[in-house]
Amino acid sequence: MKQPTGSYPHVRVRDDGRAVVSQAGSVLLVETARKTGLDRAISAALAPWSKPRAVHDPGKVLLDLALAVALGGDCLADVALLRSEPAVFGPVASDPTVSRLIDTLAAASGKALTAIRAARAEVRGHVWELAAGRAPDADGQVTVDLDGVLVVAHSDKQGAAPTWKKTYGHHPLMGFVDHGPGGTGEAVAALLRPGNAGSNTAADHISAARLALAQLPKKYRRGRQTLIRCDSAGSTHEFVAWLAQRGRWLSYSVGMVITEAIHSHVLKIPASAWTPAVETNGEVREGAWVAELAGDVLHGWPEGMRLIVRKERPHPGAQLRITDADGMRITCFATNTPDRPIAELELRHRLRARAEDRIRAARSTGLRNLPLHDTAQNGIWLEIVQIALDLLAWMPMLALTGQARLWEPRRLRFRLFSAAGQLVTTGRRRILRLARHWPWAHEITDALERLTLLPNPG
């Protein structure tokens, strides 16, 4: 009997292959950028920074960087991945040209950032119209989650400082539109801050909220149909008053710090006042109850604010805090939504945890570190990261179905984007042939067919 020589077959490797395309599945992102009009919008926005007789369009260069980040890149040089596949991505600028553009945009005193954000907002409204019933505002409501992200710096960079977790780096404040249980989410705000930026800084939360609202269609920039959620970092009188300001009328669900006054009120709540918490399927959540506080504990806060407290048996091994009571973990949040059961409001606030999924996706999409030195340069990088996250949210929303729409960036890269293909030229057409045995080839071709059926921009 012949003995095997190893667990895997021996394959000889040569570098003389022709018409072979790596990352062939990335045509999904290219087609998404084309069908949504993102390429045209970014190019038009950055037209003032196009130099005479320039070979490369600044908008195309910036979008190429975003595509590279969406495919897993984490620095400017990773645009070489696109440069190696001109048949799919077209002409791609050299590394020096890319670096000069970032320096030029960073020196524009914020005008470039304003132009890029305006283009993104315009395209976002168009994408939501294309998505129709799959858009995040399909039910007439939009939910924006605000949360901070710690980005560690491994070298001395402008604005880097010690963080509250004893690390060193930056502490940007992010905003995400929640797509609900049937989708992922979109990045709509990124406020770059030093690592020692305070959590309960009302001015920063107001600035991040303004950036997020400016990304929404105009009808959602004010009014009760827009909900702003955040953790206890936003529990300041100034921020809550800004959300509820007359004429703005935003809905909010803000985590609150358990103060001594709140703690004393919790201890006085009678047993009959506690209502069982619920799960997303409507069933009772075992070992959790909610109640609403009233009285002088609301003095000084905006009119119409409701204070809802939740108690739950801690998980095995969890340590209780000094603000907990009777062996129960106590949490609290404030909202201005009237006429809805407190258990339903508590569930809505608890779903803010989905923002942690969005942060995880952002970390794997260029936010693991800020690769440049100057704060202005890293501000441009944050916009590139947000464009990449937009593409990774819009493509599934427009082209994928079922569980595939819930795939996070790492899974999209592994199953879809990393598929290889063969480029065939016949007549005047170029056809990209995917390997038939690729497990997710049908997901790619079906998604491309859905994108093809969308109307062309303009």
Side-chain angles (χ1 to χ4, degrees):
M1 179 178 179
K2 189 175 180 180
Q3 297 295 326
T5 58
S7 300
Y8 299 96
H10 180 67
V11 179
R12 296 184 182 274
V13 179
R14 301 177 65 178
D15 61 356
D16 57 355
R18 297 180 179 179
V20 177
V21 177
S22 62
Q23 300 287 330
S26 59
V27 294
L28 288 168
L29 296 178
V30 176
E31 190 68 5
T32 299
R34 190 180 72 84
K35 282 292 188 176
T36 60
L38 181 63
D39 53 346
R40 296 185 181 185
I42 297 294
S43 294
L46 296 185
W49 289 273
S50 179
K51 297 181 179 180
R53 297 192 299 273
V55 176
H56 296 281
D57 173 51
K60 171 69 162 55
V61 175
L62 197 78
L63 189 54
D64 284 343
L65 285 170
L67 286 169
V69 171
L71 293 174
D74 61 1
C75 65
L76 299 182
D78 285 336
V79 77
L81 173 67
L82 277 63
R83 193 181 301 120
S84 65
E85 303 291 354
V88 176
F89 300 104
V92 177
S94 65
D95 289 348
T97 301
V98 171
S99 296
R100 286 194 295 268
L101 176 63
I102 297 300
D103 292 340
T104 300
L105 298 180
S109 301
K111 293 181 180 179
L113 288 177
T114 301
I116 295 170
R117 289 165 181 167
R120 290 177 55 222
E122 177 186 352
V123 176
R124 193 180 314 280
H126 178 57
V127 171
W128 288 13
E129 291 178 0
L130 291 176
R134 297 156 60 88
D137 66 336
D139 60 352
Q141 300 283 325
V142 174
T143 300
V144 177
D145 293 313
L146 301 180
D147 208 344
V149 184
L150 289 181
V151 181
V152 176
H154 298 284
S155 61
D156 190 18
K157 298 178 181 179
Q158 189 177 28
T163 71
W164 60 275
K165 277 197 172 182
K166 311 300 181 184
T167 58
Y168 181 79
H170 298 81
H171 189 192
L173 188 59
M174 304 285 294
F176 303 94
V177 170
D178 187 17
H179 283 192
T184 55
E186 303 174 36
V188 289
L191 182 65
L192 185 57
R193 305 186 301 170
N196 57 0
S199 296
N200 296 103
T201 306
D204 290 347
H205 278 79
I206 292 174
S207 297
R210 288 185 187 276
L211 291 176
L213 292 172
Q215 285 295 308
L216 305 181
K218 288 186 178 180
K219 63 180 179 179
Y220 295 117
R221 295 177 186 177
R222 63 182 71 246
R224 297 294 192 196
Q225 71 274 19
T226 301
L227 172 69
I228 304 294
R229 289 190 305 203
C230 63
D231 57 14
S232 58
S235 61
T236 59
H237 288 75
E238 296 84 352
F239 180 53
V240 175
W242 183 87
L243 293 172
Q245 184 177 354
R246 185 180 182 86
R248 190 170 290 113
W249 303 117
L250 296 169
S251 297
Y252 61 81
S253 185
V254 179
M256 300 292 287
V257 176
I258 304 295
T259 62
E260 184 177 349
I262 293 177
H263 190 260
S264 62
H265 276 71
V266 170
L267 297 178
K268 299 176 183 178
I269 299 177
S272 59
W274 291 100
T275 301
V278 296
E279 298 282 11
T280 53
N281 57 7
E283 296 182 359
V284 172
R285 182 178 177 87
E286 185 178 356
W289 299 266
V290 293
E292 185 170 0
L293 300 181
D296 58 359
V297 73
L298 296 175
H299 288 172
W301 293 95
E303 183 179 355
M305 189 179 93
R306 303 174 68 182
L307 200 59
I308 299 172
V309 64
R310 172 174 175 262
K311 68 176 182 179
E312 185 174 19
R313 296 193 187 99
H315 300 294
Q319 294 183 349
L320 294 175
R321 299 167 295 191
I322 194 172
T323 54
D324 296 330
D326 298 329
M328 297 283 188
R329 174 62 50 84
I330 303 297
T331 56
C332 185
F333 71 97
T335 182
N336 61 345
T337 303
D339 305 326
R340 289 181 65 178
I342 58 175
E344 181 181 339
L345 294 175
E346 190 276 331
L347 173 62
R348 185 186 69 176
H349 183 76
R350 197 181 341 131
L351 292 177
R352 193 199 64 82
R354 288 172 51 84
E356 299 297 330
D357 299 333
R358 308 287 76 76
I359 291 175
R360 182 173 61 251
R363 289 186 186 279
S364 66
T365 311
L367 202 60
R368 184 178 62 85
N369 69 297
L370 299 179
L372 305 172
H373 178 271
D374 294 348
T375 297
Q377 294 173 330
N378 283 322
I380 300 296
W381 178 261
L382 276 183
E383 290 302 312
I384 294 171
V385 169
Q386 290 179 87
I387 295 173
L389 291 171
D390 283 342
L391 288 171
L392 291 171
W394 294 343
M395 187 278 291
M397 184 168 63
L398 295 173
L400 298 180
T401 59
Q403 287 297 314
R405 191 186 165 187
L406 301 176
W407 290 349
E408 292 190 1
R410 289 181 179 178
R411 183 160 293 180
L412 289 172
R413 293 171 192 138
F414 182 81
R415 295 187 174 183
L416 302 186
F417 304 153
S418 63
Q422 181 183 21
L423 193 64
V424 178
T425 302
T426 170
R428 296 184 179 181
R429 296 185 303 167
R430 288 182 299 180
I431 301 174
L432 186 61
R433 298 184 183 276
L434 301 177
R436 183 180 301 175
H437 61 269
W438 185 253
W440 303 281
H442 286 297
E443 276 81 356
I444 299 174
T445 54
D446 291 347
L448 284 172
E449 184 175 353
R450 296 186 189 98
L451 290 174
T452 303
L453 294 176
L454 296 176
N456 290 320

